[in-house]
């Protein structure tokens, strides 16, 4: 009997959607970090229309019930993450040593003041603060002084690890009860919002909502939403938005970001448009060729790491330029520069990752018991 090696054709729509979602995250961090100095609040709020919920939905679409494969993928991601934060740790440390030896503590303090008063540094240690690296390994995201946006955006990763484990366990052991688990997550999310005093701290609120998104994504895997349902879904989104502004008042528009951490009803409603659009176009919009966007999607994790660094670096362009040109022109320029920087940094990070894996392989071989 002949055996044929059949490779499944990669769904470029997933890569395309991940690429667009990554570009949206770069825009969000352009608007909400350095953009706080010059971008109007209205624009910053609108940037949240296409947000991290898309990644959880896409993860649900691409996930299956194979526990071993999923845990192996998460282990690889954890190691890649540890290689990255190790690189970041030494980058941050050596920059501080460089600043102290070639300039002064005052120079470094002025440098860090560029990020705003929240990131003012009073004292800088000349010894590596190893406890920070240990905390990063264990997903306690203490600040990286030189690149504050990095740790500010990593909350996503911790939630991703948690809900992926829960998700694959549900898919594996309760494949006929997925709708029940979606319902449970929705009920918990509503309960936390109706009774705010019950809203738990930590990751529970995040996982309750985003696990529902993950499982919903998995439910439509390989399917297509009927054309007649699409107008109905968008109508529901419109009704929800109208209700939100009627119930909370127009000022809720400016509080969307406050309702993101953890996700509350206004932010959840705000994300519905992007999720409906993602699901409506799935298996309907055909992407047949590789592109700039699909490349970003294929390398989304490295771009996610890179944009934290690039979004920190653009502060040093924004501060001197914000008074010299209209905000819209500056925003477009900074966003383009941020994307270009993210491209370059992601390429470097891929090489750092490869080097890290090669070093680990050498250590493994040297320490293996014959």
């Amino acid at each position: 009997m002949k055996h044929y090696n059949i490779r499944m054709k990669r769904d470029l729509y997933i890569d395309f959607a991940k690429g667009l979602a990554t570009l949206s995250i770069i825009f969000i961090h352009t608007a909400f970090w350095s953009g706080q100095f010059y971008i109007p609040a209205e624009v910053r709020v609108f940037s949240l229309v296409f947000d991290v919920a898309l990644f959880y939905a896409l993860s649900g679409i691409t996930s299956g019930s194979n526990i071993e494969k999923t845990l192996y993928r998460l282990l690889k991601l954890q190691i890649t993450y540890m290689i990255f934060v190790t690189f970041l740790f030494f980058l941050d440390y050596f920059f501080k040593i460089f600043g102290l030896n070639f300039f002064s503590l005052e120079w470094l303090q002025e440098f860090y003041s560029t990020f705003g008063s929240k990131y003012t540094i009073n004292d800088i240690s000349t010894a590596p603060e190893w406890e920070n690296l240990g905390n990063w390994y264990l997903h306690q995201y203490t600040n990286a002084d030189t690149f504050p946006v990095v740790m500010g955006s990593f909350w996503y990763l911790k939630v991703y690890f948690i809900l992926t484990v829960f998700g694959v366990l549900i898919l594996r052991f309760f494949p006929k009860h997925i709708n029940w688990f979606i319902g449970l997550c929705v009920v918990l999310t509503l309960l936390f919002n109706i009774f705010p005093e019950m809203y738990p701290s930590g990751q529970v609120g995040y996982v309750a909502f985003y696990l529902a998104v993950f499982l919903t994504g998995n439910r439509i895997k390989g399917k297509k939403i009927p054309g007649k349902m699409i107008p109905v879904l968008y109508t529901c989104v419109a009704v929800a938005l109208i209700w939100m502004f009627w119930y909370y008042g127009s000022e809720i528009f400016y509080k969307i970001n406050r309702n993101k951490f953890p996700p509350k009803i206004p932010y959840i409603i705000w994300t519905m448009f992007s999720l409906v659009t993602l699901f409506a176009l799935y298996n309907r919009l055909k992407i047949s060729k590789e592109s700039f966007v699909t490349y970003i999607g294929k390398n989304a994790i490295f771009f996610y790491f890179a944009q934290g660094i690039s979004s920190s670096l653009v502060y040093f362009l924004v501060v001197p330029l914000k008074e010299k040109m209209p905000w819209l022109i500056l925003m477009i320029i900074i966003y383009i520069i941020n994307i270009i920087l993210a491209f370059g940094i992601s390429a470097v990070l891929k090489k750092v990752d490869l080097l890290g894996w090669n070093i680990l392989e050498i250590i493994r071989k040297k320490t293996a018991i014959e």
Side-chain angles (χ1 to χ4, degrees):
M1 183 182 289
K2 293 182 178 180
H3 294 276
Y4 296 94
N5 183 21
I6 301 174
R7 296 182 62 187
M8 291 184 67
K9 189 176 180 181
R10 190 179 181 99
D11 187 351
L12 290 180
Y13 173 76
I14 301 298
D15 291 330
F16 184 78
K18 281 185 179 178
L20 286 181
T22 303
L23 288 170
S24 180
I25 295 299
I26 295 175
F27 181 64
I28 289 170
H29 291 165
T30 299
F32 269 94
W33 287 82
S34 60
Q36 65 184 301
F37 292 134
Y38 69 101
I39 297 177
E42 293 83 356
V43 176
R44 283 186 278 143
V45 172
F46 273 116
S47 72
L48 294 172
V49 170
F50 295 93
D51 204 355
V52 292
L54 292 175
F55 284 105
Y56 296 122
L58 287 164
S59 181
I61 292 174
T62 56
S63 292
S65 59
N66 189 321
I67 294 178
E68 183 179 349
K69 183 178 178 181
T70 300
L71 293 181
Y72 179 70
R73 178 166 52 86
L74 291 179
L75 177 61
K76 285 182 65 178
L77 176 58
Q78 173 67 14
I79 294 172
T80 288
Y81 162 76
M82 292 171 72
I83 291 169
F84 169 66
V85 295
T86 303
F87 172 73
L88 186 78
F89 177 81
F90 285 108
L91 204 61
D92 179 65
Y93 172 68
F94 287 131
F95 177 79
K96 290 174 180 175
I97 295 301
F98 170 82
L100 288 172
N101 287 320
F102 289 91
F103 295 96
S104 65
L105 176 61
E106 290 72 24
W107 180 87
L108 273 176
Q109 288 173 331
E110 184 178 350
F111 176 90
Y112 290 125
S113 70
T114 304
F115 301 122
S117 58
K118 181 180 176 182
Y119 298 97
T120 301
I121 306 297
N122 295 320
D123 187 35
I124 296 175
S125 174
T126 55
E129 297 179 273
W130 297 108
E131 67 274 17
N132 281 341
L133 182 59
N135 285 334
W136 293 351
Y137 284 165
L138 299 176
H139 296 276
Q140 182 179 339
Y141 307 121
T142 50
N143 190 45
D145 295 326
T146 312
F147 308 103
V149 183
V150 175
M151 295 303 161
S153 62
F154 264 172
W155 68 269
Y156 157 82
L157 204 58
K158 183 191 290 187
V159 175
Y160 174 78
F161 274 102
I162 296 169
L163 75 82
T164 302
V165 171
F166 274 97
V168 72
L169 290 175
I170 292 168
L171 296 178
R172 175 67 180 85
F173 295 109
F174 302 97
K176 297 181 179 180
H177 299 85
I178 294 174
N179 290 342
W180 285 96
F181 279 98
I182 294 173
L184 175 63
C185 290
V186 171
V187 168
L188 285 174
T189 301
L190 288 173
L191 195 65
F192 297 154
N193 279 275
I194 294 170
F195 303 102
E197 67 277 6
M198 294 178 61
Y199 210 122
S201 59
Q203 309 306 313
V204 178
Y206 292 91
V207 173
F209 170 59
Y210 290 120
L211 183 57
V213 173
F214 174 94
L215 293 174
T216 301
N218 186 264
R219 291 297 288 162
I220 75 158
K221 183 177 183 178
K223 302 173 185 175
K224 181 192 290 187
I225 293 178
K228 293 180 180 179
M229 278 298 298
I230 293 175
V232 175
L233 292 173
Y234 279 115
T235 300
C236 290
V237 172
V239 170
L241 284 167
I242 292 169
W243 174 85
M244 181 182 77
F245 286 113
W246 170 80
Y247 183 80
Y248 293 99
S250 58
E251 65 274 7
I252 193 63
F253 176 79
Y254 297 98
K255 300 176 181 177
I256 296 295
N257 194 51
R258 296 184 197 174
N259 286 272
K260 178 179 176 179
F261 304 107
K264 297 185 178 69
I265 291 295
Y267 175 74
I268 292 170
I269 291 174
W270 197 248
T271 64
M272 288 298 106
F273 174 81
S274 63
L275 290 172
V276 168
T277 301
L278 174 72
F279 294 147
L281 294 178
Y282 176 62
N283 273 337
R284 183 169 275 107
L285 176 63
K286 301 298 181 185
I287 306 296
S288 56
K289 293 183 179 179
E290 302 274 357
S291 67
F292 160 83
V293 178
T294 59
Y295 173 82
I296 295 175
K298 283 183 178 179
N299 298 279
I301 190 61
F302 292 108
F303 274 88
Y304 204 88
F305 293 163
Q307 61 79 31
I309 297 176
S310 63
S311 295
S312 301
L313 294 176
V314 295
Y315 268 89
F316 298 95
L317 291 173
V318 166
V319 171
L321 293 176
K322 61 187 175 68
E323 303 294 341
K324 296 182 180 179
M325 62 179 71
W327 70 266
L328 180 60
I329 294 174
L330 181 59
M331 181 185 73
I332 294 170
I333 292 172
I334 295 298
Y335 181 49
I336 293 171
I337 291 173
N338 205 350
I339 293 172
I340 294 170
L341 285 173
F343 250 93
I345 294 168
S346 68
V348 172
L349 293 181
K350 286 183 72 174
K351 293 184 181 298
V352 170
D353 183 62
L354 180 61
L355 175 63
W357 279 96
N358 287 339
I359 292 172
L360 289 173
E361 179 64 15
I362 292 170
I363 294 172
R364 187 190 68 80
K365 288 180 178 179
K366 293 291 184 183
T367 57
I369 299 174
E370 297 295 336

